[in-house]
Amino acid sequence: MAEPAVAPELYINRELSWVAFNQRVLAQALSEHTPLLEQAKFSAIFSNNLDEFFMVRVASLKSQIEAGVQSLSDDGLTPSQQLAKVREALAPLLSQQQAHYRHYLKHQLAEAGVHLIDYARLNKKQQQWINTYFQNAIFPVLTPLAVDPAHPFPFISNLSLNIAALIRDPESGQQQFARVKVPQKNLPRFVQLPVELSDHEPTPIYTAVPLEQVVAFNLQLLFPGMTVEGHYFFRVTRDADLELRDLEADDLMEALQQGLRKRRMGGEVVRLEVADEMPQDVVDLLLEGTGVEPADLYRINGPLGLDDLMSLMGVPLPKLKDKPHRGRTPAALARAQKSLLEDGSIKAEEFESIFSVLRRGDVLLHHPFDLFSTSVEEFINQAADDPSVLAIKMTLYRVSKDSPIIAALIRAAENGKQVMALVELKARFDEDNNIQWARQLERSGVHVVYGVIGLKTHTKITLVVRKEKERLRSYCHIATGNYNSRTSTLYTDLGLLSARPELGQDLAELFNYLTGFSKQQEFRRLLVAPVTLRRRMQELIERETEHALAGRPASIKAKMNALVDPAIIARLYAASQAGVQIDLVVRGMCSLRPGVEGVSDNIRVSSVIGRFLEHSRLFWFANGGDHEMFIGSADWMGRNLDRRVEAVVPIEDPGLHQKLLRLIDAYLADNCTAWDMQADGRFVRRIPDEENVAVQADLIEGWHRNLSSSDN
């Protein structure tokens, strides 16, 4: 049977769709409804996202061009055409970001007591303080590098902030170019001044000047006897993707370490950002020195590297931020907290282990509204300390620094349990962190493996094996998000704690697949990529088409981070044409065109961008009235379905199923933070009617208790 195809005109370019996603992030920064310091945060996220996009996606397109690749993307564009369209789409966004910073954010922050001052506007006392700071804390680490026939153009490291200085020798009259790297590693981007030096009324709460300006206005100290005629800021972005062959574990570790050393310096330059006022002759010198094509030049009318605005979240002004949020302990686990037993909050007879809770039934978790520490971490901690637990197996993809999970695994190994951790070394931009964790775990007696050759292990699963009454019982956790304490407070994710025997058996076989030579082809309940997930998801969509054609209830509701897989999109188009009602919540890239007459009339796509990063994935199918619901780690992308190890689990408890259905309906009803996708790929922000519905805010406030998992 031939694979259904999607006509190029019915497929939206994934790179342009990503730019549209980042535009929605920027819109949060530009919104007057976003608190001021949160505006700075979203502007920083926009810039950080863009840096990674250039380091990976743009770098990939440029590599294709250099390799002479002429094959077309699914929407019919060459790599060169895609790059041109990306540049065209980014230009207005960069202008909007800088205009917002210069003309609105700085002024509004100043009125609120947060002064970001240019060096030229400092008063004499502030200048004296800054100049002394420069001589004591900055000057000793600076190394000016001249460029002349005896000194070749210096290497410019990835994402470094630099000063192009024009220096003239007063004796010879000769002008020279020098590069000064701004030392950002151990110094703050915004140098804070004592507020008592300010002559503003009222006295500001926070006053700072950009680090690059502190260096630039003290350049004369670096070039004594010379005249500094001008200074201009610039920044480069380099190819940071690691190309790794299918290597064995030891070779992979070594290759990764070599690749990380290369990344710190960087590959080919893929973007050159310069201050808008930089003269063309200086620009030409930089273009030649860095090997950058003019098309990869971005003139920026404002500060470079606005990702550093994130540091302003440390300013102690709660009124300029979102209200603090702390999740709650799921009600089902309220009496399963060992800390409450230890501090006397509950009596010994009131305490029940988390394993006792799970023997009664599944527990659904929804982070950050349900605390990660009192659910997932409590599960791992109790497993580590319980004498009846024989083994713990889990996958680690992105782990926070000072991770309680790592500490628990080490403690479990020291307690004599069999502990296996699959550490995915190839988690992009977390490779170095994961290498360090892998070594620490190995030194502590944990059996560490690195997954299946040729695949990235992206699944988030834990298996605990416990001896109970002369038999073994398995307990498991299957989730959409990482075992990361920090991101569990920033991302929305779902997880299932269960003692269902079929899930335990599936996980045992999946771990054998990950650690040995198993070629498992089927699983009892789990949908596993790259084994069964694609086939099963396609069958579920096709089944809805059959139900619709037969006149039975047929609809699909799904939430994910990205939808770009052509085969899935083709089946969704076919389902729509058969009358299946399809509602999708897609945070990021979406290559499907909704609302195209005769093709996707019955498909609606929305995107929710709020204070938390939407990261959960769930899939609901009407199935003729016999509904099915799944959660898991996979998006509808080729990489998730074919090139990663993923696990998607059915939600079989009727009560939990209904909660998740109400949850996705709440996302679909959001009219404050949701955007509707148009057939041309644009997203239009929804306008609230008489009743404001903001799903994340509602979950925080607990207004819709039935959306919460904490009453399991």
Side-chain angles (χ1 to χ4, degrees), residues 279-399:
Q280 188 59 44
D281 58 340
V282 180
V283 171
D284 292 340
L285 191 152
L286 290 177
L287 289 173
E288 182 180 357
T290 57
V292 172
E293 299 175 6
D296 298 319
L297 171 70
Y298 289 80
R299 284 186 174 271
I300 306 297
N301 188 9
L304 308 182
L306 284 181
D307 55 307
D308 289 319
L309 288 175
M310 185 66 76
S311 64
L312 296 181
M313 290 299 289
V315 175
L317 273 175
K319 66 180 181 180
L320 301 186
K321 305 176 188 178
D322 289 326
K323 292 180 181 179
H325 170 255
R326 177 174 168 78
R328 52 195 175 263
T329 298
L333 303 180
R335 294 196 300 132
Q337 304 299 311
K338 287 193 72 176
S339 61
L340 298 181
L341 179 63
E342 292 164 355
D343 67 15
S345 298
I346 61 173
K347 299 176 181 179
E349 59 270 21
E350 296 175 320
F351 174 79
E352 58 177 349
S353 76
I354 203 164
F355 306 110
S356 299
V357 175
L358 296 183
R359 285 195 294 272
R360 291 200 303 271
D362 294 350
V363 174
L364 180 69
L365 306 173
H366 190 195
H367 309 298
F369 316 104
D370 291 325
L371 283 169
F372 189 75
S373 59
T374 60
S375 55
V376 178
E377 288 178 2
E378 185 69 21
F379 175 58
I380 305 298
N381 276 316
Q382 289 192 27
D385 297 329
D386 189 330
S388 297
V389 168
L390 304 180
I392 303 173
K393 301 180 180 183
M394 71 185 305
T395 57
L396 299 173
Y397 190 73
R398 299 190 193 277
V399 184

Side-chain angles (χ1 to χ4, degrees), residues 470-509:
E470 303 307 315
R471 62 184 287 266
L472 299 182
R473 184 189 288 268
S474 295
Y475 299 85
C476 60
H477 175 250
I478 304 168
T480 68
N482 297 305
Y483 292 108
N484 188 305
S485 305
R486 188 184 71 85
T487 58
S488 72
T489 66
L490 305 174
Y491 297 4
T492 71
D493 272 305
L494 294 164
L496 182 71
L497 286 167
S498 179
R500 291 180 183 264
E502 301 94 335
L503 293 181
Q505 291 172 320
D506 274 354
L507 281 189
E509 292 173 358

